[in-house]
Amino acid sequence: MTTDNTKQTAPTTKPPVKKTANSHSTTTEKKAPTVQVSQNSGSKKPIRAVIVAGVRTPFVRAFGPFMKMDTIALGDLAVSALLKQTGLPKKEVESIVWGGVVLPFGAPNLAREIALDLKFPEYTEGMTVTRACASGLQALTLAAAAIERGEADIVIAGGSDSTSNAEIRLPQKLVHALAPFAFGKGKPSDILSVLPQLLPFRDILPSKPEIAERTTGQVMGESAEEMAQRNQISRESQDEFALRSHHRAAAAIASGRFDREVTPVQTEDGSWIHADGLVRGDTSLEKLSKLKPVFAKNGTLTAGNSSPLTDGAAAVLLMSEEKARAMGFKPLACFRSWAYSGVDPSDQLLIGPAISIPKSLDRAGLTLKDMDLVDIHEAFAAQVLSVLKMMASDGFAKVKLGKSKATGEVDIDRLNVHGGSIAIGHPFGATGARMVTTLAHELHERNKQFAVLGICAAGGLGGSAVLERVE
């Protein structure tokens, strides 16, 4: 698979050289324009990180065709496909930054494990970050920040998740009781004294993994259901939104629009998965309206207007613009700005993008009207519609943003033009990289200049970024 932004010239052979002497900043937000200091030259020189390419696996239903592949294996596939598409030698990659939510207990630094699996040079370091569903975006903005600080010229960033391989947690009561035996300090005669500690035995059964808020105990769907009621988001409007997501994603697949972004994957049984497996181009309002509520007896959220549990991975190649052009790559886009925000999880858990989007627009020196494309992560249709409603509210702007005027109304023709997570799927750590890749390509496809994306995340978080097309 090739694109028009593939490598044209041979890379240098020397290993990357660390260039920073004061690179320990943990800054995760960007203001534009950015003027950085090149550590090599010792003189002030603007360094711009550019997005060169992005590739992902097909996104498929959890416990489906990718069930035997864990999050690291999926990450291996995405990164391998990215290298193949771009022709970039592994020796040029200085760092991998990876996002993940369901992290394996024995190997939580996914980035380093991917580097080791794929036999990158030993100097290719790796860091894994987690910001719930915004983890993939967090990985990309950290990579861009590192490049613009002069820490590296070439970084692969992305994310992956395999809900199919989520580890089932043992109750702490059982762990604490058996810990002495696990560390070799228990005697066989002590077993009888342990048994009373485990009563009642129903409390030591493994618990079902759930995406529940630690502070509120609510799963996300319950919080989204409350948001639907509070913001008066009807079942009909949610189903209409979901229908549009499926139809737009199906049209994109049928047209070949995703072909350069999605790499085929061969499963363990030898079959090939070429496209996303959750898109339902033949669904209808009638079908969606028959689905039962999932999170409340008389609720409005269903399996049809919510994002499904998904397995998948996505990888993005970022470079300093100078390095990219020197190596013959044609950049797609750059981050004009980004921003993260937090809200009270007990209030409106998933409203974060209504705050982070205007924040990132302000930092870019732009407004919503300047945006040619808008992409909002579809955890639930009710959540997206709530975010849109708050972005159009003068009252919300006054209370939450300290502004007299609303951020603005989003033109539905510019929103999620190829569908979103409801149709395509949502491997938690990969979604941010998927959205950035699609938007970067779409700016070129439509000959447009700016795009903004927003992602809600557990803990009451929101993440957003403004992308600018690069020629």
Side-chain angles (χ1 to χ4, degrees):
M1 186 182 295
T2 60
T3 70
D4 59 356
N5 54 305
T6 52
K7 181 177 74 65
Q8 301 296 319
T9 59
T12 57
T13 55
K14 63 180 181 179
V17 178
K18 285 290 181 189
K19 298 183 290 186
T20 179
N22 59 346
S23 59
H24 299 298
S25 167
T26 56
T27 300
T28 60
E29 296 175 342
K30 177 186 180 183
K31 296 180 180 180
T34 303
V35 176
Q36 306 290 343
V37 177
S38 169
Q39 301 297 333
N40 275 349
S41 65
S43 60
K44 286 187 177 181
K45 180 182 177 184
I47 302 175
R48 184 163 72 164
V50 293
I51 298 157
V52 173
V55 181
R56 65 178 174 89
T57 69
F59 287 179
V60 301
R61 188 176 298 280
F63 304 100
F66 293 171
M67 189 167 66
K68 297 293 179 67
M69 302 176 191
D70 65 12
T71 185
I72 297 172
L74 292 170
D76 290 349
L77 289 166
V79 172
S80 294
L82 181 68
L83 294 173
K84 183 179 180 181
Q85 182 185 100
T86 59
L88 181 71
K90 295 173 187 170
K91 63 186 177 184
E92 297 289 348
V93 179
E94 298 162 77
S95 174
I96 297 176
V97 186
W98 208 251
V101 176
V102 186
L103 303 178
F105 177 78
N109 190 355
L110 309 178
R112 184 57 174 165
E113 299 303 329
I114 291 169
L116 294 173
D117 276 1
L118 299 182
K119 302 192 184 311
F120 277 80
E122 62 185 26
Y123 54 74
T124 303
E125 57 92 8
M127 176 178 71
T128 297
V129 298
T130 185
R131 196 193 274 271
C133 298
S135 297
L137 178 64
Q138 179 68 71
L140 267 63
T141 55
L142 280 172
I147 290 170
E148 297 191 347
R149 286 197 300 264
E151 296 176 18
D153 279 325
I154 302 177
V155 181
I156 290 175
S160 58
D161 258 306
S162 171
T163 304
S164 298
N165 288 279
E167 295 171 3
I168 296 178
R169 185 169 56 90
L170 291 175
Q172 286 302 104
K173 183 178 180 180
L174 181 62
V175 173
H176 291 164
L178 299 181
F181 298 95
F183 288 95
K185 296 181 180 178
K187 301 175 183 177
S189 57
D190 294 335
I191 292 178
L192 291 177
S193 64
V194 166
L195 290 176
Q197 301 177 38
L198 302 180
L199 293 173
F201 291 125
R202 64 175 180 273
D203 291 345
I204 64 172
L205 295 175
S207 56
K208 184 180 72 173
E210 288 184 324
I211 310 169
E213 282 294 310
R214 176 178 171 274
T215 53
T216 66
Q218 285 187 313
V219 299
M220 278 194 176
E222 292 170 339
S223 297
E225 189 71 71
E226 289 184 355
M227 289 174 66
Q229 294 177 20
R230 178 168 169 176
N231 299 309
Q232 298 181 316
I233 308 297
S234 69
R235 166 72 183 270
E236 291 73 21
S237 63
Q238 294 176 50
D239 287 346
E240 287 173 2
F241 186 91
L243 181 70
R244 185 164 49 242
S245 182
H246 277 284
H247 284 181
R248 287 182 174 180
I253 292 172
S255 69
R257 170 61 182 80
F258 288 161
D259 287 356
R260 64 188 155 189
E261 299 176 18
V262 177
T263 184
V265 169
Q266 187 174 28
T267 62
E268 200 172 68
D269 65 5
S271 61
W272 283 89
I273 306 298
H274 291 268
D276 300 318
L278 292 151
V279 180
R280 298 290 177 264
D282 61 349
T283 194
S284 65
L285 280 179
E286 183 181 7
K287 291 179 180 177
L288 290 169
S289 67
K290 292 179 180 177
L291 298 176
K292 295 180 179 179
V294 177
F295 301 103
K297 186 177 180 182
N298 297 312
T300 58
L301 273 71
T302 70
N305 56 40
S306 306
S307 59
L309 294 176
T310 311
D311 296 339
V316 173
L317 175 61
L318 296 104
M319 293 184 176
S320 67
E321 185 170 14
E322 181 180 7
K323 184 73 171 181
R325 297 197 186 282
M327 295 181 70
F329 288 100
K330 182 180 177 183
L332 291 169
C334 68
F335 285 104
R336 179 75 178 246
S337 69
W338 61 76
Y340 296 95
S341 62
V343 299
D344 181 354
S346 66
D347 185 14
Q348 295 202 67
L349 176 69
L350 306 175
I351 207 69
I355 296 174
S356 61
I357 287 176
K359 205 172 175 181
S360 61
L361 289 171
D362 287 347
R363 288 179 174 156
L366 299 167
T367 69
L368 186 61
K369 290 182 179 178
D370 297 317
M371 297 298 106
D372 300 297
L373 297 165
V374 178
D375 207 343
I376 299 178
H377 163 52
E378 301 170 353
F380 306 92
Q383 153 260 322
V384 180
L385 294 171
S386 293
V387 168
L388 295 176
K389 201 164 188 176
M390 293 305 101
M391 287 176 64
S393 165
D394 287 341
F396 183 87
K398 184 177 181 180
V399 173
K400 294 293 186 180
L401 303 173
K403 295 183 175 184
S404 59
K405 290 293 183 182
T407 303
E409 294 193 10
V410 175
D411 180 355
I412 204 69
D413 291 334
R414 300 183 183 187
L415 175 67
N416 299 7
V417 295
H418 294 312
S421 299
I422 289 175
I424 297 170
H426 175 38
F428 313 121
T431 292
R434 172 189 68 79
M435 295 170 70
V436 167
T437 299
T438 296
L439 280 178
H441 281 297
E442 200 61 22
L443 287 174
H444 283 264
E445 287 282 334
R446 299 183 181 225
N447 194 30
K448 299 296 184 183
Q449 195 66 22
F450 297 113
V452 64
L453 66 91
I455 303 176
C456 62
L461 300 176
S464 298
V466 174
L467 299 185
E468 181 175 8
R469 188 185 71 191
V470 174
E471 293 297 335

